[in-house]
Amino acid sequence: MPIVTVNDAELNVFDQGQGPPILFVHGFPLNHTMWQAQLDAFAGSHRVIAPDLRGFGASGVSQATLSMERFADDLDALLNALGVDEPITYCGLSMGGYVAWEFIRKYGSRLKALVLCDTRAAADSPEAVDNRRKMAQLVLENGVEPIAKAMTPKLLSQATLDSQPDVGRRLSEMILSTRPETVAAALHAMAERADATEKLGSIGVPTLMVVGSEDILSTVDEMRGMSEAVPGANLVVIDGAGHMSPMEDPQAVNAALASFLESVSR
Ligand code: MLT
């Protein structure tokens, strides 16, 4: 896969297919392979672009401080580097959704449509900020193993953990392969992110929201509230899935995405 240098970062990018571009933005502390089932499904009809954000996956080590804004700047520069000038569908999960708020703020004119999976618009509570800072310290001292152990059961539903051990394994491997410095820097970046709740009402592109019925990190209720705040947005609940709905039930997520993409192409 090509490494594309943007700003001061070397980004590993999956870029395949032809047609209307979809930009897939992964969650924390993961990489673009979390979207494998979507990349496989849509590369035949769309140009699917899925980077590893700076510091993550096979992208280079980031010397710069991480922030949601910096990730959004990288995505804009990446689209320029790849020669994408037509409007894109931005599809982000969780932290990929936090990056979306900054992308919309700075590069909203690039958007044709928006897909937000298992994410939040609200900023962290003071307790959550505190936890993230402690977790960042822990990771720098002890590596990513404690975070992989703590996070995997929170990211997947019990049904997925019981019936799809391969999904749990892939997820743990993804977390374990992430550099501790990146994990810590991203935890600080998420703790510092702005609250996007007030911006929801001004989103002016077709929007699909997707959430696992068992997601305990960005709940159905929270995402329902968000979808009601975005003009014309639709919410699809993926029965039995947790926070990683695109990995846990790719068929259902792909069906929701396909029908949304069809509706925006008309
Ligand atoms: C993610 O999946 O990106 C994370 O759960 C986001 C977070 O920790 O808030």
Side-chain angles (χ1 to χ4, degrees):
M1 282 198 313
I3 295 280
V4 180
T5 303
V6 297
N7 302 327
D8 60 346
E10 291 182 343
L11 300 186
N12 179 54
V13 185
F14 182 97
D15 176 15
Q16 264 183 26
Q18 285 174 352
I22 313 175
L23 178 66
F24 289 94
V25 185
H26 64 78
F28 165 88
L30 308 172
N31 59 56
H32 80 278
T33 63
M34 62 147 286
W35 296 112
Q36 199 57 56
Q38 287 68 44
L39 301 175
D40 291 345
F42 292 98
S45 52
H46 289 74
R47 179 172 181 184
V48 292
I49 302 167
D52 292 335
L53 293 171
R54 68 162 64 213
F56 288 88
S59 288
V61 176
S62 173
Q63 304 302 339
T65 307
L66 300 187
S67 68
M68 300 305 120
E69 181 177 9
R70 194 178 297 276
F71 288 139
D73 290 344
D74 287 347
L75 294 175
D76 172 65
L78 174 66
L79 293 171
N80 287 338
L82 296 178
V84 177
D85 45 24
E86 62 187 293
I88 60 155
T89 296
Y90 182 115
C91 178
L93 178 131
S94 201
M95 186 180 78
Y98 307 160
V99 178
W101 310 131
E102 291 298 316
F103 192 87
I104 294 166
R105 183 173 71 80
K106 294 184 81 171
Y107 310 109
S109 60
R110 277 199 175 273
L111 284 185
K112 175 179 183 181
L114 185 61
V115 182
L116 296 164
C117 303
D118 302 278
T119 193
R120 312 183 63 209
D124 283 352
S125 65
E127 296 75 35
V129 167
D130 206 40
N131 276 339
R132 290 211 201 263
R133 303 231 185 265
K134 285 188 184 131
M135 188 113 79
Q137 192 56 35
L138 187 75
V139 167
L140 290 178
E141 282 163 9
N142 301 325
V144 286
E145 215 167 299
I147 204 175
K149 271 212 179 94
M151 276 192 82
T152 306
K154 290 192 188 145
L155 292 173
L156 302 174
S157 71
Q158 194 56 49
T160 302
L161 287 164
D162 292 343
S163 64
Q164 301 189 77
D166 53 312
V167 173
R169 227 176 355 255
R170 273 180 59 211
L171 196 60
S172 289
E173 279 167 15
M174 245 187 269
I175 300 174
L176 288 170
S177 71
T178 308
R179 301 175 185 99
E181 295 74 14
T182 299
V183 173
L187 282 163
H188 288 298
M190 289 191 289
E192 278 150 30
R193 76 188 192 277
D195 193 308
T197 314
E198 294 300 314
K199 294 185 192 145
L200 296 176
S202 57
I203 293 177
V205 294
T207 300
L208 170 69
M209 300 210 188
V210 173
V211 62
S213 64
E214 312 306 309
D215 188 342
I216 55 171
L217 301 176
S218 40
T219 63
V220 173
D221 279 355
E222 183 162 6
M223 286 207 73
R224 181 166 293 119
M226 286 161 58
S227 70
E228 283 166 1
V230 176
N234 276 335
L235 174 71
V236 173
V237 178
I238 307 295
D239 206 27
H243 190 63
M244 296 304 302
S245 57
M247 288 178 72
E248 297 180 66
D249 192 346
Q251 254 186 323
V253 171
N254 289 356
L257 194 47
S259 104
F260 176 69
L261 291 169
E262 162 71 26
S263 75
V264 300
S265 75
R266 274 188 232 125

